[in-house]
Amino acid sequence: MEQVLLEINHIQKAYGTHVVIDDFSLAVNKGEVVVIIGPSGCGKSTLLRCINALEDIQGGEILLNGEEVLKEAKNISKMRQKIGMVFQSYDLFPHKTILENIVLAPIKVQKRTRPEAEKEAVELLTKVGLADRKDAYPRQLSGGQKQRAAIVRALIMHPKILLLDEITAALDPEMVREVLEVVLSLAKAGSTMLIVTHEMAFAKAIADRVLFFEHGKIVEESSHPKEFFTHPVTERARAFLKTFDYETEQNS
Amino acid sequence: MDWDAIISYLPRYKDALLLTVKIGWLGILLAFIIGVLCAAVIHQKIPVLRQITGFYIELFRNTPLLVQLFFLYFALPKVGVRVSPQFCGSLGLGLLGGAYMAETFRSGLENIAPIQSESAQSLGMSKMQAFRYVILPQAVSSSVPGLLANVIFLLKETSVFSTISLMDLMFTAKDLIGMYAKTIECLTLLVVFYLIMLLPVSILGSLVERRLRHAEFGN
C-alpha cells in the first residue's frame, strides 16, 4: 500500500474574478516524482506557490501527511520546513556567502548549532560539486551553480517533499544539464518531488507521473510518461508537445 | 590676509566646530532611528501608524529647518515647555533628518524584490525573521549612498543654529565679523572649518559604502 504524502483536494485559486486554478485535486505518494507540464501562464507556478502557502487559496484544502497547510496558520513555519521549494530565479540572498545562505534557516529556524549545520552544508555542497565555492558570494557563481546552491539550501531543512518551479528556465542551455543531474540523483535516492518544467526530455526521464495542465485544470494525466510523450491521448497535449519537436515540423 | 588675526580666531572656531559636531551627530543619530522606524512602518503597511508617518514626513520635508527650530525654541516655551538651545538644535535636526532618512530607507526596502522575502519564508522563516535577516541588511546597504548624502546635508543645515543663539560655526563667523570687520579672513575660516567637518564624513562614507556593498558588487 503506497503512502500518500501530499494531498490536494479541490483547491480553487483566483485573483479577483480571474480563476487561475479551478477545482484541482492531486495526491502525491511518498517517493513519487510528479511532473507538471503545460503552456506558460496556465497556473503551474501558482499551484506550487499555493502548496507552499505563499499564495492563499479560495477553496479546498492542501494536506501534508494529513496536516493542513494554511497561510495564516500558527504552524505554517513547521509546515514550510517540510515543503522545500526551489524557484526559477534561484533567489539566493545576495548579501551572504553560499555557506551562509545555506545555514541561515537551519540555525535561525530549526535552532541547530552552527558547526552541525555547516558540516551538513559542506556535505551537501560536495554532493552537488560546489564545496570549493562555499565562501563565494552568489554574484560570483554561474546560473547553474546558483541553482545547485539553492537546491542545497532547500535540502538542508530535510523537507518531506521538494517543489521545483521551472528551475532551469533561467539558465543557459549548457548549464541545464548540471542542475538536472542533481535532481535526477535526488529522484534515485527516493525523494518525493513535484516538478514544473519545460524540459520535456528531462520530464520524460524523471517522471513517475505526468500531468498536462492548462487553464487551471488537468487536461491529461499519465502514469506512463514514455507513452504520454510519444502518444498523448488528448488533442491539446498533442498540439502542445508538437511545439517542442522541430524534426517532425520539418519532415511533415 | 591678516594671518595674525586668523591665528587668534582659531580657538573660537575650534570650539564652534566641536559644538556643531556634537549637536549635529546627536541629531543625525535621532534621524537614523526615526528614519528606520518610519520606513519599517510604511514598508510593513501598518494601518493608522502609516498615515501618521506619512503626515510627519510631508510636514517636515516641506518646511524649512529654520521654521521648525523657531517653533521648538520660541513657540514651545509659550505653552510652558522650555528646552535648551542645544536640545532644540538636535531635536530639530533629528525631526527634519528623520523625514529624509525615512524616505531613503523606504526606497532601499522597495528595491528588494518580494521573492527574497518569499524564498526566506519558504525555508520556514517568519515574516519578521525574513525582514531582519534577509530584507533589512540588503536595504541598508543599498541605501548607503542616499544616507550619506543626507548626513552631509544635515551637517550643513546646522548653519541655521546660529538663529537660536547656538555658538556654531556660522554664529562665530558673524560674531567675529561684527566685532573686528575682518570679513575675508572670517569667511575663509568658515569655509575651511566646514570642509574640516565634512570631508572626513565623505571619505569615511565611501569606505563604509564599499565595505557594506562588497557582497553584492565586489571591489
Side-chain angles (χ1 to χ4, degrees), chain A residues 1-7 26-34 65 160-161 190-194 208-209 223:
Chain A
M1 171 82 192
E2 300 216 63
Q3 188 197 345
V4 175
L5 183 69
L6 176 74
E7 207 181 335
L26 172 72
V28 179
N29 293 321
K30 196 163 179 296
E32 194 179 22
V33 177
V34 177
N65 271 334
K160 305 276 182 225
I161 183 168
S191 301
T192 313
M193 289 189 275
L194 189 54
D208 294 317
R209 190 145 49 108
S223 301

Side-chain angles (χ1 to χ4, degrees), chain B residues 44-211:
Chain B
Q44 299 290 313
K45 300 193 175 66
I46 300 171
V48 188
L49 275 181
R50 189 183 167 196
Q51 278 77 26
I52 296 172
T53 308
F55 175 74
Y56 154 73
I57 291 174
E58 294 311 325
L59 179 67
F60 278 85
R61 273 207 316 174
N62 297 305
T63 49
L65 178 59
L66 187 62
V67 177
Q68 295 163 17
L69 283 182
F70 274 19
F71 238 94
L72 292 174
Y73 192 63
F74 297 114
L76 281 188
K78 299 280 180 217
V79 292
V81 185
R82 193 162 287 280
V83 280
S84 74
Q86 289 201 17
F87 182 85
C88 273
S90 290
L91 183 64
L93 201 64
L95 288 171
L96 171 77
Y100 277 87
M101 298 286 187
E103 286 294 288
T104 309
F105 276 124
R106 188 181 61 85
S107 77
L109 286 171
E110 277 171 7
N111 273 335
I112 313 301
I115 196 153
Q116 281 284 312
S117 176
E118 288 172 354
S119 70
Q121 286 180 58
S122 79
L123 294 165
M125 282 187 228
S126 67
K127 268 194 178 151
M128 267 321 287
Q129 285 177 317
F131 185 77
R132 182 168 157 206
Y133 299 118
V134 176
I135 305 300
L136 195 61
Q138 292 184 59
V140 169
S141 67
S142 84
S143 312
V144 168
L147 296 176
L148 185 63
N150 287 348
V151 168
I152 292 171
F153 158 76
L154 289 171
L155 282 175
K156 285 192 292 191
E157 280 293 293
T158 56
S159 59
V160 305
F161 285 171
S162 57
T163 56
I164 55 168
S165 67
L166 277 169
M167 290 209 268
D168 76 327
L169 286 169
M170 195 70 207
F171 183 97
T172 304
K174 280 197 284 191
D175 193 36
L176 288 170
I177 292 171
M179 282 196 287
Y180 307 111
K182 303 251 183 231
T183 310
I184 294 179
E185 285 81 356
C186 288
L187 289 180
T188 308
L189 274 174
L190 186 60
V191 170
V192 169
F193 270 84
Y194 269 114
L195 287 177
I196 291 175
M197 176 166 72
L198 288 165
L199 278 181
V201 177
S202 297
I203 294 164
L204 204 73
S206 331
L207 287 176
V208 169
E209 182 182 349
R210 207 173 299 164
R211 171 134 190 80

Side-chain angles (χ1 to χ4, degrees), chain A residues 49 77 80 91-92 139 157, chain B residues 116 118 121 124 214-216:
Chain A
R49 290 169 57 84
S77 165
R80 282 196 180 124
D91 303 300
L92 295 171
R139 68 177 159 80
M157 304 301 282
Chain B
Q116 281 284 312
E118 288 172 354
Q121 286 180 58
H214 166 76
E216 277 136 280

